[in-house]
Amino acid sequence: MAEKMGILGRKLGMTRIFAGDGSAVAVTVVQAGPCPVTQVKTAETDGYNALQIAFEEAKEKHVTKPMKGHFAKAGTALYRKVREIRLDGPAAYEVGAVLTADVFAAGDKIKVTGTSLGKGYQGVMRRWNFKGSKDTHGCEKVHRSGGSIGNNTFPGHVFKGRKMAGHWGAEQVTVQGLEIVDVRTEDNVILIRGSVPGPKNGLVLVRKQ
């Protein structure tokens, strides 16, 4: 099996389990797969080694014609999600193989990629940790504002990258250094210690480090 194997899954929520010494361990439960391999990429043909895996079967009306042809070539059902997993060397799997939770083992160090919780439209104090204005006499209704954002006549515009109010969250995040506490193959779930990005039922990509 390739060194940096991974799998697609859904974040089901959190619970706790008890370790051998009786201590309670908070874990995140992730449904890991099943993920069929829909394409194998090699350094000779594609310039790099990778596995393309799919997750969650879909109705025909929810799949584009190009993807229908792609799945037909792989000989699999239709799926909603498709992702690539880069490998260090040639893949140990062939098209049609199915990845499940047993690609991991307890104690594995992993990284998880997902879409962070959306916080909506936020001001500069919450989004960027601005200090805010003084709450004293003469400072009226500007306590949480962003303050000055521009310059004088020259250059006469706001520089790109200026920290301002705006949409916060709902962006791709990768958290590294997480640990698999347990793998329950009968339920096809893995239990992860650490901060897993995203909301409940959010799509996550779990990869070995």
Side-chain angles (χ1 to χ4, degrees):
M1 183 172 63
E3 180 186 358
K4 294 184 179 179
M5 184 50 61
I7 201 169
L8 278 169
R10 288 279 176 194
K11 178 179 175 180
L12 301 181
M14 291 192 69
T15 185
R16 66 176 178 175
I17 61 174
F18 293 95
D21 59 359
S23 61
V25 180
V27 294
T28 300
V29 183
V30 174
Q31 177 195 346
C35 295
V37 177
T38 54
Q39 187 178 2
V40 177
K41 295 193 174 184
T42 63
E44 292 76 20
T45 58
D46 303 283
Y48 61 97
N49 297 299
L51 280 181
Q52 185 189 86
I53 59 175
F55 182 59
E56 290 187 341
E57 290 196 23
K59 295 179 180 179
E60 185 176 354
K61 66 180 181 178
H62 293 149
V63 181
T64 63
K65 286 185 178 180
M67 290 308 297
K68 288 177 186 177
H70 184 67
F71 290 131
K73 183 179 179 180
T76 65
L78 304 178
Y79 288 86
R80 284 182 175 272
K81 307 294 182 181
V82 176
R83 295 292 187 276
E84 268 191 14
I85 298 174
R86 291 287 189 105
L87 305 175
D88 290 336
Y93 295 92
E94 296 181 352
V95 174
V98 179
L99 307 183
T100 56
D102 58 8
V103 300
F104 299 105
D108 284 349
K109 293 295 183 181
I110 59 171
K111 56 184 177 181
V112 179
T113 301
T115 302
S116 63
L117 287 167
K119 305 293 185 180
Y121 191 95
Q122 300 296 331
V124 291
M125 291 183 71
R126 187 172 183 209
R127 191 182 185 200
W128 301 112
N129 296 315
F130 276 26
K131 181 181 177 180
S133 301
K134 294 181 179 180
D135 190 11
T136 56
H137 177 71
C139 190
E140 184 179 357
K141 299 180 181 179
V142 293
H143 305 91
R144 300 181 65 88
S145 68
S148 175
I149 62 169
N151 301 276
N152 211 324
T153 305
F154 178 83
H157 65 85
V158 179
F159 289 115
K160 288 184 178 181
R162 173 71 65 185
K163 293 179 179 179
M164 300 173 69
H167 188 80
W168 185 35
E171 59 186 4
Q172 181 175 295
V173 174
T174 298
V175 180
Q176 303 188 55
L178 306 183
E179 179 185 356
I180 292 184
V181 177
D182 193 12
V183 177
R184 301 186 176 177
T185 54
E186 65 277 9
D187 300 319
N188 207 37
V189 299
I190 56 178
L191 307 183
I192 301 174
R193 188 206 318 253
S195 179
V196 176
K200 286 185 179 180
N201 297 318
L203 184 72
V204 291
L205 176 62
V206 184
R207 291 168 289 171
K208 290 184 180 181
Q209 286 194 283

